[in-house]
Amino acid sequence: ADQEGELRRALRRGELELHYQPRLCLESGRIVGLEALVRWLHPERGLLGPDAFIPMAEESGLIVPLGYWVIARALRDLQSLHEGGADSLHMAINLSFRQFQDSQLLPTLNRLIEERGIDPHWLEFELTETAVMRRSEQVQSAMHALGELGVRFSLDDFGTGFSSFVHLSSLPITLLKIDKSFVAGMAVRPGKSQLVQAMVGLAHNLDLDVVAEGVETTEQLELLRQFGAQQVQGYLVSQPLPLAELLHFMSAER
Ligand code: G
Ligand code: G
Ligand code: MN
Ligand code: NA
């Protein structure tokens, strides 16, 4: 089938959804942020994860309008969470390289931030190592302009790409997200946990906070705490949840 046309229609018909995965702060024991993760509620194939359509969206350029839909929805939901009393939650949104090449990114973000009355410092954009390492002038200047607004950036899937630390330190990145593939082996193989410990140390030397992804067990959480990671995300805390379920989860938290 023509998947591109199908996704284009899905966007128009409102078949996309965002699920939100909570992030736990290890020091306070509180939920301090959310990561927005897109899903496609396909009329025939059911709920599809991003791996089923994001690569195609990136290749076709559809990631640009899709990405604007994601940002608009995430800001709308963040506004309602803040108004509902969860007023110190951060929102992390994944951004593809292609979205940075679009000249409307800055003006659109500015407009949405204004419309929703959200202080930009509650916003974080997650970029992959591969996107950051392209060293594009456009990406750098957009990052710096957004950084001036107060928006933060994190490096997603850290450890799976090839970051040059010289390059990293020239970008306004404040957070490293350790990829779940590293967390997965931690309590099983000592070598893996030493690797994670070294990654946390490296992040701290670069003055970056650490979020560990894919945390599924209390053993992993305790090791990460010992190593000094600031936040964890993973099934141990919660799966990504639709907004209604997230609200329920957050009210049980308090
Ligand atoms: O939801 P899931 O855990 O399967 O997410 C897999 C990956 O899909 C995420 O790590 C992220 O890189 C990507 N992804 C999820 N939502 C978005 C989105 O809104 N935009 C972009 N560009 N990537 C996303
Ligand atoms: O942005 P990124 O591709 O890293 O998104 C995280 C992905 O990992 C999402 O697809 C999410 O559904 C998934 N995920 C989140 N928590 C866990 C977890 O604890 N274990 C595993 N295996 N996957 C997770
Ligand atoms: Mn991510
Ligand atoms: Na990731």
Side-chain angles (χ1 to χ4, degrees):
D2 174 10
Q3 230 212 341
E4 190 187 324
E6 229 193 325
L7 182 58
R8 202 180 295 279
R9 271 194 305 280
L11 202 51
R12 241 186 3 247
R13 292 178 182 166
E15 291 171 8
L16 298 185
E17 296 184 2
L18 288 185
H19 287 189
Y20 297 103
Q21 187 171 41
R23 272 194 202 162
L24 180 74
C25 168
L26 289 176
E27 201 192 345
S28 67
R30 301 185 70 98
I31 302 301
V32 291
L34 306 171
E35 178 179 1
L37 294 157
V38 70
R39 273 94 179 89
W40 179 0
L41 188 55
H42 194 284
E44 284 116 42
R45 294 159 67 202
L47 196 65
L48 303 178
D51 296 346
F53 59 94
I54 290 288
M56 180 269 288
E58 286 176 340
E59 235 162 82
S60 63
L62 268 182
I63 192 69
V64 171
L66 187 156
Y68 287 133
W69 179 86
V70 168
I71 295 169
R73 176 57 58 95
L75 292 190
R76 185 196 81 173
D77 290 347
L78 186 63
Q79 180 187 31
S80 79
L81 281 157
H82 281 183
E83 286 174 357
D87 55 4
S88 53
L89 272 187
H90 284 89
M91 178 67 78
I93 299 172
N94 291 282
L95 273 194
S96 298
F97 182 74
R98 282 290 284 265
Q99 296 177 258
F100 267 109
Q101 296 179 304
D102 189 71
S103 62
Q104 294 309 299
L105 182 65
L106 272 164
T108 305
L109 256 170
N110 270 315
R111 178 174 57 77
L112 291 171
I113 284 169
E114 191 132 320
E115 256 173 45
R116 295 295 171 189
I118 288 171
D119 184 330
H121 90 265
W122 296 116
L123 301 180
E124 174 188 321
F125 290 114
E126 298 193 3
L127 302 173
T128 61
E129 276 188 296
T130 22
V132 165
M133 292 332 280
R134 294 218 197 166
R135 295 163 175 273
S136 131
E137 281 292 320
Q138 220 169 354
V139 170
Q140 295 205 20
S141 69
M143 282 179 80
H144 284 290
L146 289 168
E148 297 278 296
L149 279 182
V151 171
R152 300 189 307 173
F153 290 94
S154 54
L155 195 62
D156 201 3
D157 304 338
F158 180 67
T160 62
F162 301 92
S163 302
S164 130
F165 297 109
V166 176
H167 188 53
L168 272 190
S169 58
S170 73
L171 292 171
I173 291 172
T174 57
L175 216 65
L176 282 192
K177 295 194 76 184
I178 297 182
D179 190 66
K180 56 180 178 287
S181 60
F182 296 97
V183 173
M186 270 177 66
V188 187
R189 278 178 284 149
K192 277 260 172 141
S193 92
Q194 282 164 11
L195 185 57
V196 171
Q197 184 169 24
M199 289 165 95
V200 176
L202 186 70
H204 290 168
N205 284 333
L206 292 165
D207 221 8
L208 304 172
D209 280 352
V210 171
V211 183
E213 301 188 308
V215 176
E216 297 181 355
T217 69
T218 49
E219 288 97 323
Q220 291 166 346
L221 182 136
E222 285 313 322
L223 281 169
L224 288 159
R225 189 199 299 283
Q226 270 178 44
F227 297 162
Q230 278 76 19
Q231 298 176 26
V232 296
Q233 207 181 308
Y235 297 160
L236 181 66
V237 179
S238 168
Q239 288 177 265
L241 301 170
L243 184 66
E245 285 175 47
L246 177 83
L247 289 170
H248 194 75
F249 175 88
M250 296 293 298
S251 61
E253 263 311 287
R254 282 191 275 173

